[in-house]
Amino acid sequence: MKPTSLKSVIAASSVGTLIEWYDFYIFGSLATIISTKFFPAGNPTVALLSTLATFAAGFVVRPFGALFFGRLGDLIGRKYTFLLTLVIMGLSTFLIGCIPSYESIGFFAPLLVLLLRLLQGLALGGEYGGAATYVAEHSPAERRGFWTSWIQTTASVGLFVSLLVIIAVKGAMDEQSFGDWGWRVPFWISIIMVGISILIRMRMKESPLFSKAKAEGKTSTNPLKESFGHKLNFKFVLLALFGATMGQGVVWYTGQFYALSFIQNTLSIDVAQASKLIMWALLFGTPFFVVFGWLSDKIGRKWIMMVGMLIAIVSYRPIYSAMYDAGSVQMKKEITAQTATEVKIMADEKNTGDSVLTTTTLKVYEDGTTLKEVQKQMIHADASKADATKDIITAKTVILDTGSFWKLIFLVFIQVIFVTMVYGPIAAFLVEMFPIRIRYTSMSLPYHIGNGIFGGLLPAIATFLATKATMANEVATKAGTALPYDKPFLEGLWYPIIIAAVSLVIGVLYINGEDNRIED
């Protein structure tokens, strides 16, 4: 294929995949706000965990999407299958932005969000395998890692675009309007981008290798049975999962999504500043997907991915410890003379007779960092309704100084490099493991279990582990006993460290990685 035609193939495949990732990640990027809209008020931690669990549900169903759409892709072709996934993803995302809040329709709100989130997950489960297979089947063997690595950039670029849109929408209105309805705009914008992408993809032709196999009558009549019922092929599916995609998945989600969650929730950094921080790190780091994809054509795919996992395993705890030191106000010196406090009491519009006491405290630190703490306390006319666990809600917003801001960018950038090492070569690696007739199905399942299950559950599991450790320390403090955890905010990292370590051992011992043929 001519280079210009190949670039068109990659561009058309990448645009659709990028938009699907954008759709998928605006939910996670807005998790903190969404938790206040679609879930019961009263316990912000439980609401956030519920939102992250709903976010994770989209990942859990991705393997089912991989099976369903992978089978379609091996039966009817790559082109029409990932056109269908694009339509499902776009409509689901748009409709999430239309769901009334929990206050309006009660438990139907989280139920509808969960349903649409599941549809998003199914669609994404069918998208990646198709795009990666489609590009690989157009690429020359000696540059397959390089060309398929462009597909790998779309996940990071999709996250980048989602953050960019959120910042732009947030900057176009005041904080109150964004909190009330402005957060829905990024979901609505999705329908425009999906429409454009569908027009582009309609012009694409079917993969030449699949067309040839179909013309010769060599396509599979039962891709699921051939993929998982054949002992040798199933062995490769398991190797791809436990020796590569499982570790790649947790490294990917730690470096990009858990980093964002840690910055927003553990460090309480302002949403817009946190988004900018991740965007800079992605901007600097994303070109390395192509660098490592190119390098995998020269020295092989396996060892680049294995070294990426190893470095991530040994450096996560030092990196997150440094992130805490740079971003937490606990590690900064307050200028107490500049602390300002404002107290207001207003009637509660929803409950006649009750009132809300709002205490706003602004603290300034020596390096220029500021902390705004807003505590709202419900004052009940009927004292018997008082509930200490629900009546007081505190929200913290930290604006970092320039030095701390750029230090955090550097620490996230390092993690993005780990991501590019394990993720850049993996599309070519997976495509080369399986034959044409069942490639879409066989490579999609291990990829989406590795990323959807092991990676997608990471934010919820890691946040749960860190929250549990923090609560244990709080109990110990009240009891006057020794703290069980020295740094509770690091406890969530045990999940990606252990999963990546298991994958590294299996990958090093059992993956050969020398077969790069895809014409079989």
Side-chain angles (χ1 to χ4, degrees), residues 19-20 23-24 26 83-99 112-113 115-121 123 186-195 198:
I19 292 171
E20 289 219 31
D23 288 352
F24 205 67
I26 51 176
L83 260 176
L84 180 60
T85 63
L86 190 60
V87 172
I88 294 173
M89 175 63 88
L91 286 176
S92 304
T93 305
F94 176 76
L95 290 175
I96 287 177
C98 301
I99 296 174
L112 287 172
V113 171
L115 179 64
L116 292 171
R117 187 71 190 154
L118 293 176
L119 283 174
Q120 280 189 317
F187 289 94
W188 296 337
I189 288 175
S190 164
I191 202 75
I192 301 171
M193 295 197 289
V194 168
I198 287 172

Side-chain angles (χ1 to χ4, degrees), residues 260-460:
L260 177 62
S261 176
F262 184 84
I263 289 167
Q264 287 185 343
N265 300 310
T266 303
L267 304 180
S268 302
I269 292 172
D270 171 67
V271 171
Q273 191 178 39
S275 299
K276 288 177 185 173
L277 194 156
I278 296 292
M279 284 174 60
W280 277 112
L282 292 177
L283 190 64
F284 294 135
T286 297
F288 287 89
F289 283 106
V290 181
V291 171
F292 287 114
W294 167 81
L295 189 61
S296 74
D297 287 329
K298 309 294 180 186
I299 65 173
R301 328 227 187 261
K302 171 183 171 179
W303 287 107
I304 295 175
M305 296 190 293
M306 296 302 124
V307 171
M309 282 187 214
L310 177 63
I311 300 174
I313 290 165
V314 299
S315 59
Y316 273 153
R317 285 177 68 87
I319 286 175
Y320 276 81
S321 187
M323 287 173 68
Y324 188 83
D325 291 345
S328 174
V329 293
Q330 303 295 324
M331 311 303 289
K332 300 176 186 290
K333 191 170 182 181
E334 182 186 349
I335 306 174
T336 53
Q338 294 186 22
T339 299
T341 303
E342 182 182 66
V343 179
K344 288 182 180 177
I345 186 162
M346 298 179 69
D348 183 6
E349 296 175 354
K350 299 173 187 171
N351 300 293
T352 306
D354 293 352
S355 55
V356 179
L357 176 68
T358 304
T359 305
T360 304
T361 305
L362 182 64
K363 297 180 179 180
V364 180
Y365 296 84
E366 285 187 346
D367 63 2
T369 296
T370 62
L371 166 64
K372 183 181 179 182
E373 188 173 277
V374 180
Q375 184 186 79
K376 293 190 175 184
Q377 181 178 0
M378 182 68 71
I379 310 290
H380 296 279
D382 180 358
S384 65
K385 293 183 179 178
D387 185 343
T389 62
K390 295 182 178 179
D391 288 345
I392 300 177
I393 298 175
T394 303
K396 297 179 180 177
T397 305
V398 173
I399 304 290
L400 290 173
D401 66 290
T402 305
S404 302
F405 178 74
W406 282 99
K407 187 172 183 181
L408 280 176
I409 289 173
F410 175 70
L411 292 167
V412 176
F413 165 74
I414 294 173
Q415 296 176 67
V416 176
I417 294 299
F418 303 159
V419 173
T420 60
M421 292 181 74
V422 298
Y423 200 56
I426 204 160
F429 169 79
L430 290 174
V431 166
E432 289 164 354
M433 288 187 84
F434 303 103
I436 298 170
R437 55 193 286 115
I438 54 172
R439 178 170 294 142
Y440 201 149
T441 306
S442 294
M443 71 162 284
S444 291
L445 187 68
Y447 175 81
H448 286 293
I449 291 178
N451 285 268
I453 305 292
F454 289 101
L457 291 178
L458 189 146

Side-chain angles (χ1 to χ4, degrees), residues 76-145:
I76 66 171
R78 288 49 166 140
K79 173 184 171 180
Y80 291 106
T81 302
F82 59 39
L83 260 176
L84 180 60
T85 63
L86 190 60
V87 172
I88 294 173
M89 175 63 88
L91 286 176
S92 304
T93 305
F94 176 76
L95 290 175
I96 287 177
C98 301
I99 296 174
S101 67
Y102 181 86
E103 286 185 351
S104 302
I105 60 172
F107 281 101
F108 281 108
L111 193 63
L112 287 172
V113 171
L114 178 62
L115 179 64
L116 292 171
R117 187 71 190 154
L118 293 176
L119 283 174
Q120 280 189 317
L122 286 173
L124 192 62
E127 167 68 22
Y128 174 82
T133 301
Y134 188 79
V135 172
E137 290 179 348
H138 281 85
S139 305
E142 69 279 8
R143 302 199 74 192
R144 191 174 299 126

Side-chain angles (χ1 to χ4, degrees), residues 1-14 138 143 146-147 150:
M1 174 174 277
K2 294 179 181 178
T4 50
S5 301
L6 185 53
K7 287 177 184 175
S8 300
V9 166
I10 292 166
S13 303
S14 300
H138 281 85
R143 302 199 74 192
F146 172 74
W147 289 117
W150 289 93

